[in-house]
Amino acid sequence: MRRQLTVLGLTGAALVAFGSTALAASSSVPGTVSSGKVKLAVRSAPTPASPAVASLRNGAKLSLVCSVRGPKTKGRVRTTDRWDRLTSGAYVSDAYVSRRKTVPACPAPAPSASPSVTPSATPSLIVPPTGAVPVGTWVNPVPGKGTSGFRTVSRPTHDGIDIMAARETPIRAAAAGTVITVVCNTSGPSCDVDGSPSIKGCGWYVEIHHAGDIVTRYCHMVRQPEVTVGQQVTAGQTIGHVGTSGNSSGPHLHFEVHYGRPATRLNAIDPVPFMKTAGAPVA
């Protein structure tokens, strides 16, 4: 079943947080959802491909903290590439928000104080320093090499890599950890049928939280995963099987690595150098 929280007519201050600390609303800009007969998706990150964590009816009141750039959207109010951050930390497209005041740009994220996270020279890209990832504790999630890279010029919102593999190929946990997400995420009728490029979403997917506050995400599984939220898994343990559910043109694994919870665009890192450092190269 698709797990999606529906929030009806709540202000930004009352919108339930989806896993991050709620932001202060003292200097927020009021807004109103203008989505017509459809509900406006509230997403975990400023992109239409990010998991929906809630939905809002037309006319719902919002508290907008700041905005960031993302994929351009043509909505009922305007066509824009701005995405508004709510007091919950989630995002809605500004293309569907009526407001009187300008929403300020979100400040750039401050470098992490943790010694295990070092910002690289590339904006929005974090790479682990030497020795940060214990070699030998990570494995390649499926046999094969990555074929579609992390945030390429042609796919700037692609927050992971695609690894081609045959349908039903076992997907392995890349390292030991705790399962924190098991979700069907699709705009189609079901994650139990093949998706297509015209369908949105990650299909059946799993997130695992590892030591060092690292999160891995595994998308497009062929059916409901074999693990449950809260379950402890070991490196190499089968968590599901390769499929093509959600936004997918053929069987493959979409694999992401994030520093921190919840996993969002702001903390996604390139899996290729990370897994190379971990001793389990995927390219």
Side-chain angles (χ1 to χ4, degrees):
M1 295 177 61
R2 183 178 182 182
R3 293 169 50 191
Q4 177 173 320
L5 174 67
T6 302
V7 184
L8 307 179
L10 298 181
T11 63
L15 182 63
V16 68
F18 62 91
S20 61
T21 303
L23 304 174
S26 58
S27 59
S28 62
V29 173
T32 303
V33 173
S34 180
S35 59
K37 295 181 180 180
V38 300
K39 294 178 181 178
L40 175 62
V42 180
R43 301 193 179 276
S44 61
T47 164
S50 299
V53 296
S55 61
L56 295 169
R57 290 179 185 243
N58 183 56
K61 301 301 180 183
L62 304 174
S63 291
L64 314 175
V65 177
C66 57
S67 71
V68 298
R69 290 190 180 277
K72 184 175 291 186
T73 303
K74 182 179 181 180
R76 288 178 59 87
V77 179
R78 62 184 66 84
T79 298
T80 179
D81 63 356
R82 305 304 299 187
W83 288 70
D84 300 322
R85 186 186 298 174
L86 307 179
T87 51
S88 66
Y91 293 85
V92 295
S93 172
D94 195 53
Y96 294 93
V97 177
S98 299
R99 50 178 173 74
R100 292 185 178 181
K101 297 182 180 179
T102 300
V103 182
C106 296
S112 171
S114 169
S116 65
V117 181
T118 301
S120 74
T122 304
S124 301
L125 179 60
I126 300 173
V127 295
T130 301
V133 182
V135 176
T137 61
W138 288 72
V139 300
N140 193 322
V142 296
K145 303 294 183 180
T147 59
S148 183
F150 176 83
R151 295 183 184 173
T152 60
V153 174
S154 60
R155 301 180 71 186
T157 62
H158 193 234
D159 293 334
I161 61 171
D162 292 342
I163 306 175
M164 303 306 295
R167 189 189 299 269
E168 296 289 350
T169 299
I171 299 171
R172 305 180 295 178
T178 304
V179 177
I180 58 173
T181 303
V182 177
V183 168
C184 166
N185 176 244
T186 181
S187 63
S190 169
C191 287
D192 295 323
V193 298
D194 287 354
S196 72
S198 64
I199 291 176
K200 298 179 180 180
C202 219
W204 278 117
Y205 80 93
V206 168
E207 290 180 341
I208 302 174
H209 186 232
H210 310 279
D213 207 24
I214 298 167
V215 174
T216 52
R217 179 181 290 169
Y218 313 76
C219 296
H220 307 309
M221 295 185 184
V222 69
R223 56 182 169 272
Q224 185 168 345
E226 298 186 4
V227 292
T228 57
V229 173
Q231 181 177 338
Q232 301 293 314
V233 295
T234 58
Q237 179 176 336
T238 297
I239 60 174
H241 292 81
V242 170
T244 182
S245 56
N247 180 245
S248 174
S249 58
H252 72 284
L253 170 67
H254 173 85
F255 178 61
E256 297 182 13
V257 179
H258 297 255
Y259 265 123
R261 294 178 59 181
T264 71
R265 292 215 72 217
L266 299 179
N267 57 24
I269 64 174
D270 190 342
V272 172
F274 178 90
M275 294 298 285
K276 182 178 181 180
T277 300
V282 292

